Amino acid sequence: MNEIVRDRIDVALTVNGEPVEARVPAGQHLIDFLRLELGLTGAHASCEHGVCGACTVRVNGDAVRGCLMLAAQADGAEVWTVEGLTDTGEIADLQEAFVARNALQCGFCTPGMLVAAQELLAREDAPSRAEIREHLSGNYCRCTGYEAIVDAVETVATARAGKGGA
Amino acid sequence: MTIQFGNPDRPNSYIGKTVPRPNAPRLAQGRGRFVDDVVLPRMAHVAFVRSPYAHARIGGIDAAAAKAAKGVLRVFTGADIAEVCTPWVAVLAHLKGLKSPPQHPLAIERATWVGEPVAAVVATSRAAAEEAAALVEVAYEALPVVTDMMSALDETTPVIHPDLGDNLAFRRLHEEGDVEGAFAGAHKVVSARFRTARHTGVTLEPRSILVDWNPAEGQMVAWHATQAPHMMQTVFAKHLDVPESRVRVICADVGGSYGIKVHVYPDEVATAAIAKIMGRPVKFVADRLESFTTDIHARDHVIDARLAVDETGKILAMDVDDWTAIGPYSVYPRTSAIEGNQVVNLCGGPYDFASYRARTTVVFQNKTPTCQYRAVGHPIAVAITEGLVDMAAAELGLDPIEIRRRNLYADDAYPVTSPAKMRFEGLSHHASLNKLLELMDYDALRADQAQARKRGVHRGIGIASFIELTNPSPFMYGIGGARISAQDGCTVRMDPDGSVVALSGVTEQGQGTEAMLAQIVAEGVGVSADKVRVVTGDTQVTPYGGGTWASRGAGIGGEAALQAARALRDAILEVAAAMLQSEPGRLDIRAGAVVDPETGEERLSLEELGRIVYFRGDTLPKGLPRELVQTRHFITSDYPFAFTNGVQASYLEVDVETGVVTLLKHWCVEDCGRIINPQLVDEQIRGGIVQGLGGALYEEIHYDEEGQLLNGSMADYLVPMAAEMPDMVVGHVETPTKESLLGAKGAGEAGTAGAPAAVMNAVNDALRPLGAQITEMPFTPERILRALGTIES
Ligand code: FES
Ligand code: FES
């Protein structure tokens, strides 16, 4: 067995609803796999050790940090990134609210922030501002000061509740 | 032609309105294009070998193992890079006496801080480059380390750069009036030692650059996360010996900057040098540890200051002795002396008094270089000034509001020159303070505070007035010899379909530059904002300009855009007049059509005008000017800077058992002159406030005595997170600058400038009944408990 084969692993998963098969380096993180191999550059790497939340993507229904999970661990998983969530329209209202409220400035934190916010909104009908702040407290934003983000998430929560969503 | 800004019903009124940012949906969909998203054919990756010593002689470099590693293409030492890249010296002629040694992209003989790049490994992937970098063996010989700023000039302290003679980088003393006399005759003198901690910017997108050198074209293209693409173009051209016209710097989306990305970084220049040597694209993206050890730091100051007042609380004199340490090099090309210089310029800024002495001492040390970070020098000067003013008020038994009322420059006093020799064109301290009191309901808060105290809850209210330097002229850098543009340009062009393109030298890092420019151009030409496309961040196509620094985007870039837009409007009307057999003065452009200004009746759409100019020019009179492209440049000339002013307030609670500070609410009233987009301005202020709150409560870079950085990760260096931040109320007073038609001053840094002082004063307001006071930031629970005597000093 040569070295190349030894430190590479075959994976099969779905990413944004599309099947993906790949042979990934054993040590490659999911975020690098998504960005480098699949060209899904929406989610970002920033701290690369699980603190900032910029790399947040959805894996099997949970918001996870793409820099803490190995691509190899995603074998068989269902992965959604901001690109896929945009295409399905699942977070269109959140994205609209972020734009309307200017809840993003440089936008580097935004894809991770949106995935995290959507996870909260899927769980909680009417989160309070404090709950929103608490839930997003694993996601850094150095530009906005957070208030606009909290406003945007709150607006969507209210609107979704109004539609009798859940 | 003037615009009736006061009339909200004027045609095409976009200036002053909240309209959506054109680039926001793209970013919200994850369709941004940051440097790390760009992939080029044959692209290689570079990782740097960095000094683990704060000061060491570099002996042999053994790269054999690294070169043999999988994927490695080449390894470079400092000497290799020096063959194609000249060193730089970061001094400015107008900062007299400032000195700094020549600096190379990679250290050659000595490493002078932990993290300084010493060698570079280029590989086919970043992971391979990083792995191989760990295999490079450098023979270091440790040298004595200088870390403490206050003893850096002592006889017994080793000199970091023997050629410079001592560790003094810069010293400036400014003296005005009879300072000693004023202190001798004062009713009260208050004094304190203040400390502001070393910070860094923690941009979420790390510093990133991708450089391609195409030897066939003799052209260098750099995709660069920078705030100043033209400045970088000039730097690359100069130090890598490429004609300036053959260097193109592109900064597309930039993930946070805050001043961190406006400097010349050795590893970024090294990346460009490597691309030039290898003749292929090379990418460098800093990892987080590299960000902490090599992004510039700032705000590392210790200040002894005192204030003299008379019986009525009138300020008589202020005396400031500021010390700061900047690491081993002054940072190119802005220099690291500017921050201390700003402290001298800005202390006492809002107040009308006569006698002022301020000295800054800037020394070298073996830590990460410091340089300009958001609100350069301001948070320091504001904290000193406002801290002392509150202490004086307490001594005299005056309310903090009252002492400010008695000392702030009167709103009708302008123009005035301050004792620091800063010239103010028009500020609104009293109007701003009044507005703040109204917004926060000061009396009700005082009542709430008193109530809480009865329950044993310690709340505090802190006020901080401030000035902010914006719209800089060449007096900031140009006169010192730096090729940093204080002017900016805008080219505005009408295309055949009647849409408009604006190319601007100022840049977008998320603050909303492009939206602001689109609004100005839309109103200036007479089209709807969605018909305007803005292009920034590409030195090959935009007019030469300064980019983003010192809150100049709206005030300088916006004015250039307005003038260019008006010129295009005039050019369009000249063609239209010929076509309609009218006079340009008897026509107007509204909502994309040439109209009769009296009736508003449409005479000709811009689309039709475009069709004729571009495709049937034969039908127009011979010789008729038909330049549907106009460029204008703008530079301020009457004042070196457009000062803004504002005032902030913080309401917070101190848990005297744990020392934890809980922010309850924050207010800011700011006068940035004409507001172009209220929402964008408010969010700049909010974001700025939160960075200031970080400085007040959390952010501090720690080193040990050997110059080892102790908290080089996001888990260890605390920044504000959503859960700890308060809601913030933002209000405005508008005093447009008369230097421009637009009247805009900057708003990007005011939040950061005033927030730490407001928090400090609020904490001290809460602690005062307990006889405790703190002046060393950040106000950690430990520092608060020490002040309370709960734990021993
Ligand atoms: S990059 Fe994954 S949490 Fe920061
Ligand atoms: S918008 Fe820049 S980090 Fe959040």
Side-chain angles (χ1 to χ4, degrees):
Chain A
M1 217 202 297
N2 68 32
E3 233 185 311
I4 304 271
V5 176
R6 251 203 337 266
D7 63 9
R8 289 187 166 250
I9 294 167
D10 288 330
V11 291
L13 61 160
T14 68
V15 179
N16 296 331
E18 295 169 10
V20 172
E21 288 184 12
R23 174 163 292 182
V24 300
Q28 186 172 53
H29 289 104
L30 177 62
I31 185 69
D32 291 333
F33 174 68
L34 295 171
R35 290 179 54 82
L36 301 174
E37 309 302 328
L38 304 187
L40 293 167
T41 55
H44 299 123
S46 178
C47 68
E48 300 173 274
H49 61 232
V51 185
C52 73
C55 62
T56 306
V57 294
R58 185 192 290 167
V59 179
N60 295 332
D62 293 326
V64 308
R65 298 183 184 281
C67 71
L68 288 186
M69 181 171 179
L70 296 175
Q73 292 173 297
D75 187 31
E78 192 191 335
V79 176
W80 288 89
T81 70
V82 71
E83 288 94 340
L85 297 176
T86 301
D87 291 347
T88 61
E90 181 186 332
I91 56 168
D93 53 352
L94 258 178
Q95 288 166 317
E96 239 169 71
F98 267 57
V99 171
R101 182 58 190 86
N102 199 42
L104 66 152
Q105 289 186 20
C106 75
F108 199 81
C109 68
T110 314
M113 203 60 93
L114 288 166
V115 173
Q118 176 69 358
E119 183 187 50
L120 171 70
L121 295 183
R123 264 204 336 241
E124 296 281 334
D125 258 359
S128 67
R129 288 179 77 78
E131 280 169 322
I132 296 169
R133 284 188 180 277
E134 197 54 48
H135 185 83
L136 296 178
S137 68
N139 288 69
Y140 278 60
C141 177
R142 285 291 277 169
C143 299
T144 63
Y146 303 108
E147 185 170 339
I149 296 172
V150 176
D151 289 348
V153 174
E154 192 183 30
T155 305
V156 173
T158 310
R160 286 190 190 175
K163 282 185 199 133
Chain B
M1 178 119 217
T2 52
I3 294 179
Q4 300 302 318
F5 287 108
N7 171 17
D9 299 326
R10 66 189 188 273
N12 316 303
S13 66
Y14 286 104
I15 296 170
K17 290 206 172 132
T18 290
V19 302
R21 274 171 59 196
N23 53 7
R26 191 167 56 74
L27 294 168
Q29 293 182 15
R31 294 179 201 271
R33 198 165 193 243
F34 299 89
V35 171
D36 197 26
D37 303 340
V38 181
V39 174
L40 296 181
R42 288 186 79 222
M43 185 172 84
H45 299 259
V46 61
F48 292 92
V49 178
R50 297 179 183 276
S51 173
Y53 292 93
H55 198 189
R57 194 170 307 290
I58 299 169
I61 297 180
D62 179 358
K67 280 182 185 156
K70 200 164 70 178
V72 171
L73 301 171
R74 278 182 75 165
V75 178
F76 294 89
T77 65
D80 299 333
I81 301 295
E83 279 178 27
V84 299
C85 185
T86 53
W88 52 84
V89 179
V91 296
L92 290 169
H94 66 302
L95 299 180
K96 293 204 175 46
L98 170 61
K99 57 191 196 232
S100 185
Q103 185 178 12
H104 289 272
L106 300 183
I108 297 179
E109 282 170 7
R110 279 185 309 136
T112 51
W113 84 89
V114 171
E116 182 170 10
V118 170
V121 177
V122 182
T124 49
S125 74
R126 183 177 168 202
E130 282 175 0
E131 271 168 40
L135 301 175
V136 175
E137 290 200 18
V138 182
Y140 294 103
E141 180 200 327
L143 294 169
V145 170
V146 179
T147 52
D148 175 49
M149 68 169 84
M150 303 307 286
S151 60
L153 300 181
D154 293 356
E155 293 265 307
T156 51
T157 302
V159 174
I160 297 175
H161 306 291
D163 289 353
L164 299 182
D166 56 26
N167 289 326
L168 182 67
F170 178 66
R171 181 170 262 167
R172 180 181 160 209
L173 172 68
H174 175 88
E175 202 160 5
E176 185 75 15
D178 176 14
V179 177
E180 286 308 325
F183 274 95
H187 174 64
K188 294 268 186 209
V189 172
V190 289
S191 65
R193 169 168 282 203
F194 297 88
R195 184 174 168 281
T196 53
R198 236 175 206 264
H199 294 193
T200 185
V202 198
T203 59
L204 222 46
E205 177 205 32
R207 288 190 297 104
S208 314
I209 188 167
L210 164 60
V211 187
D212 188 16
W213 167 254
N214 182 333
E217 291 177 329
Q219 163 110 351
M220 176 174 281
V221 182
W223 286 261
H224 193 184
T226 178
Q227 298 169 232
H230 283 106
M231 182 194 89
M232 290 310 305
Q233 174 188 27
T234 301
V235 166
F236 290 136
K238 179 170 173 190
H239 293 282
L240 293 165
D241 191 27
V242 182
E244 199 156 331
S245 60
R246 309 303 288 163
V247 178
R248 177 181 186 185
V249 177
I250 298 170
C251 67
D253 291 314
V254 177
S257 50
Y258 329 119
I260 298 301
K261 294 175 180 166
V262 79
H263 308 290
V264 172
Y265 286 93
D267 45 22
E268 294 173 10
V269 180
T271 303
I274 290 167
K276 193 176 176 210
I277 294 169
M278 294 183 68
R280 62 192 284 180
V282 180
K283 184 188 273 187
F284 165 63
V285 177
D287 70 20
R288 195 45 64 177
L289 178 60
E290 287 177 303
S291 300
F292 276 104
T293 55
T294 63
D295 286 6
I296 60 105
H297 294 174
R299 315 247 209 274
D300 192 2
H301 288 243
V302 174
I303 312 102
D304 286 306
R306 52 190 188 130
L307 188 80
V309 291
D310 71 10
E311 324 41 50
T312 67
K314 183 89 193 71
I315 299 171
L316 303 172
M318 187 173 186
D319 186 11
V320 176
D321 187 18
D322 169 60
W323 284 71
T324 182
I326 58 168
Y329 293 97
S330 167
V331 174
Y332 193 58
R334 282 161 203 268
T335 85
S336 307
I338 292 283
E339 189 182 67
N341 198 54
Q342 296 277 71
V343 172
V344 177
N345 287 341
L346 297 169
C347 279
Y351 300 108
D352 186 359
F353 65 102
S355 299
Y356 177 62
R357 177 165 60 208
R359 186 178 78 156
T360 187
T361 302
V362 180
V363 301
F364 292 113
Q365 66 182 163
N366 294 113
K367 293 181 186 172
T368 299
T370 72
C371 207
Q372 285 87 318
Y373 165 52
R374 197 173 194 170
V376 189
H378 290 69
I380 302 159
V382 179
I384 303 167
T385 306
E386 294 301 276
L388 290 174
V389 166
D390 260 26
M391 288 172 203
E395 279 281 311
L396 293 165
L398 278 177
D399 188 271
I401 302 300
E402 186 53 31
I403 193 165
R404 287 178 173 79
R405 285 215 166 106
R406 290 182 192 181
N407 286 286
L408 291 166
Y409 279 110
D411 287 357
D412 61 2
Y414 303 98
V416 295
T417 301
S418 76
K421 288 278 172 285
M422 295 293 107
R423 293 168 58 216
F424 305 135
E425 181 210 352
L427 302 178
S428 61
H429 287 297
H430 291 270
S432 297
L433 182 60
N434 290 339
K435 180 135 200 181
L436 179 87
L437 298 177
E438 197 184 297
L439 284 178
M440 67 192 285
D441 198 349
Y442 186 72
D443 297 335
L445 276 193
R446 283 285 178 214
D448 177 73
Q449 179 190 31
Q451 283 263 320
R453 219 162 256 170
K454 281 188 205 145
R455 302 194 306 270
V457 173
H458 297 270
R459 293 187 169 171
I461 301 171
I463 308 285
S465 292
F466 61 90
I467 55 169
E468 188 205 342
L469 178 162
T470 75
N471 292 3
S473 74
F475 277 79
M476 191 112 192
Y477 298 112
I479 56 163
R483 294 171 78 85
I484 296 169
S485 175
Q487 64 85 51
D488 229 293
C490 186
T491 295
V492 178
R493 172 185 97 208
M494 194 194 103
D495 283 345
D497 64 349
S499 69
V500 172
V501 176
L503 303 111
S504 170
V506 295
T507 52
E508 168 79 88
Q509 280 88 29
Q511 66 276 59
T513 300
E514 293 181 357
M516 172 274 292
L517 291 172
Q519 286 174 255
I520 292 171
V521 169
E523 173 147 2
V525 177
V527 297
S528 59
D530 62 359
K531 283 275 189 293
V532 181
R533 200 162 76 250
V534 177
V535 178
T536 63
D538 184 344
T539 63
Q540 189 156 294
V541 299
T542 67
Y544 199 98
T548 297
W549 52 277
S551 294
R552 63 188 297 283
I556 309 287
E559 178 69 10
L562 180 60
Q563 293 184 10
R566 300 304 284 184
L568 176 62
R569 176 184 176 278
D570 292 347
I572 293 169
L573 288 181
E574 187 166 4
V575 177
M579 290 166 69
L580 299 169
Q581 303 194 339
S582 175
E583 301 283 323
R586 291 171 50 204
L587 298 168
D588 193 8
I589 307 175
R590 293 179 192 170
V594 177
V595 300
D596 180 323
E598 305 294 312
T599 63
E601 187 195 331
E602 177 171 331
R603 308 275 314 266
L604 178 71
S605 73
L606 291 188
E607 208 175 343
E608 176 61 6
L609 185 139
R611 184 187 69 81
I612 292 167
V613 168
Y614 287 107
F615 309 118
R616 290 306 310 272
D618 57 311
T619 62
L620 293 172
K622 210 166 150 184
L624 176 76
R626 52 190 78 181
E627 263 53 69
L628 300 189
V629 186
Q630 297 288 327
T631 300
R632 292 294 180 274
H633 288 80
F634 179 68
I635 187 162
T636 56
S637 44
D638 294 339
Y639 287 83
F641 314 104
F643 276 95
T644 72
N645 69 278
V647 56
Q648 293 193 31
S650 168
Y651 193 45
L652 52 75
E653 192 168 300
V654 182
D655 183 331
V656 296
E657 302 293 316
T658 62
V660 170
V661 173
T662 304
L663 300 168
L664 300 174
K665 201 153 182 173
H666 201 95
W667 297 261
C668 176
V669 174
E670 220 257 341
D671 184 347
C672 61
R674 177 99 51 227
I675 291 172
I676 296 154
N677 183 319
Q679 186 186 55
L680 295 181
V681 169
D682 286 0
E683 294 314 315
Q684 276 305 294
I685 290 175
R686 287 201 174 91
I689 289 171
V690 168
Q691 286 196 352
L693 296 176
L697 294 174
Y698 312 115
E699 299 189 36
E700 180 168 25
I701 293 265
H702 292 282
Y703 281 91
D704 72 9
E705 280 172 9
E706 293 305 306
Q708 291 292 336
L709 194 149
L710 299 176
N711 55 340
S713 83
M714 278 180 164
D716 301 315
Y717 178 88
L718 303 182
V719 301
M721 300 301 294
E724 293 89 41
M725 287 301 104
D727 282 342
M728 294 159 271
V729 179
V730 180
H732 301 279
V733 172
E734 279 189 79
T735 312
T737 170
K738 298 185 195 79
E739 282 236 54
S740 64
L741 178 58
L742 189 60
K745 311 175 199 171
E749 301 167 275
T752 312
V759 169
M760 180 176 72
N761 285 348
V763 170
N764 284 333
D765 186 48
L767 296 183
R768 195 161 288 119
L770 303 169
Q773 172 172 288
I774 48 163
T775 50
E776 298 200 355
M777 293 183 208
F779 305 123
T780 57
E782 182 189 330
R783 286 200 175 106
I784 288 177
L785 293 179
R786 279 183 204 286
L788 286 165
T790 313
I791 50 180
E792 275 180 34
S793 311

